[in-house]
Amino acid sequence: MRDLLAALGLVLVIEGLSLAAFPAAWQRAMRAILKAPEQPMRIAGLLAGIVGVAIVWLVRS
């Protein structure tokens, strides 16, 4: 559980710093996401999840 909380904290730090450093880029990205079709985003999300699980598995084994 401690590892999960540490990972969530790191995600918040990275996203918060990138949002603070590049707000205009985030706005452009959000506009592009709103225009994008759902299916490719769903596939990208699943692939990101699979890669994330693989990375955690490699690090923890």
Side-chain angles (χ1 to χ4, degrees), residues 26-48:
W26 271 75
Q27 287 177 331
R28 285 192 306 273
M30 291 301 124
R31 280 195 288 275
I33 287 171
L34 289 172
K35 293 178 184 176
E38 280 187 26
Q39 194 63 23
M41 289 194 320
R42 185 169 286 133
I43 292 169
L46 287 171
L47 288 174

Side-chain angles (χ1 to χ4, degrees), residues 38-60:
E38 280 187 26
Q39 194 63 23
M41 289 194 320
R42 185 169 286 133
I43 292 169
L46 287 171
L47 288 174
I50 290 167
V51 169
V53 167
I55 289 171
V56 170
W57 180 73
L58 287 171
V59 169
R60 301 292 283 163

